Amino acid sequence: MITPAYAQRMAAYNQWQNTSLYAAADTLDDANRTLHRGAFFGSIFNTFNHILWADRIWLSRFAGTPAPNQANIPTSVQETETWAQLKAERPMMDQTIIDWAAKITPESLSGNLRWFSGGVGREVEKPLALLIIHFFNHQTHHRGQIHAMLAAAGAKPGPTDFPFQPE
């Protein structure tokens, strides 16, 4: 289904996109970052917080890293309290993802992962490779929302297309 190279490329893409979007968001003031803009999690800040929370919860399942600060999806928007804290924690999470992806082997991609899903309120078991695809797709999905909110706020995020990703 996927290879270690896929996960490594996506981890690098994740870091590149977060660097770009955080830089664009940094040109806005707190009022613009926290303004409700009609996205699923409301604001740019809340959506960034949700992505960080989701990355933490999935990595805790995949690699045994620390769980997120918040217990569930509704409170995920409070993963960090301030823009400064969020900006400081995001690069560390991106590096954790890169380090984790570097250790993936073809053998480690086989098999299933079993966990308790708060989203559906029960134990779930799915193929690990499928969950890794979901992990990276989830980031991309919500970053797309952030990109649109940033553009609407007058910020200028960089390109998002793979062919323009630095090597």
Side-chain angles (χ1 to χ4, degrees):
M1 179 179 276
I2 64 171
T3 65
Y6 167 83
Q8 293 156 11
R9 170 65 73 169
M10 292 303 293
Y13 179 79
N14 168 67
Q15 182 183 49
W16 174 52
Q17 286 302 294
N18 284 332
T19 300
S20 171
L21 293 179
Y22 274 73
D26 213 21
T27 67
L28 303 175
D29 60 18
D30 279 334
N32 271 303
R33 284 189 296 267
T34 58
L35 180 67
H36 193 289
R37 297 181 181 275
F40 189 79
F41 291 103
S43 70
I44 293 165
F45 180 71
N46 285 358
T47 306
F48 273 134
N49 257 327
H50 172 73
I51 296 169
L52 178 63
W53 174 87
D55 287 353
R56 285 176 171 169
I57 199 145
W58 280 111
L59 260 272
S60 73
R61 295 168 183 160
F62 295 154
T65 59
N69 299 322
Q70 298 300 314
N72 54 48
I73 294 169
T75 62
S76 68
V77 299
Q78 299 163 0
E79 184 65 11
T80 65
E81 295 179 16
T82 66
W83 178 244
Q85 182 187 6
L86 183 59
K87 278 191 346 179
E89 293 186 26
R90 182 72 252 179
M92 292 185 289
M93 185 77 249
D94 291 345
Q95 189 60 53
T96 299
I97 293 168
I98 286 170
D99 294 345
W100 161 76
K103 295 175 187 166
I104 293 175
T105 64
E107 297 76 30
S108 68
L109 291 170
S110 63
N112 292 340
L113 178 69
R114 185 175 193 82
W115 78 100
F116 181 83
S117 169
V120 296
R122 63 180 168 79
E123 286 258 327
V124 178
E125 184 173 344
K126 297 286 180 184
L128 180 60
L130 176 72
L131 297 173
I132 292 171
I133 292 169
H134 166 72
F135 172 67
F136 289 118
N137 186 66
H138 178 267
Q139 297 166 341
T140 301
H141 165 71
H142 287 301
R143 279 195 307 260
Q145 293 173 332
I146 291 169
H147 193 282
M149 289 187 282
L150 286 169
K156 305 217 179 323
T160 61
D161 296 330
F162 273 99
F164 303 113
Q165 180 180 357
E167 291 298 324

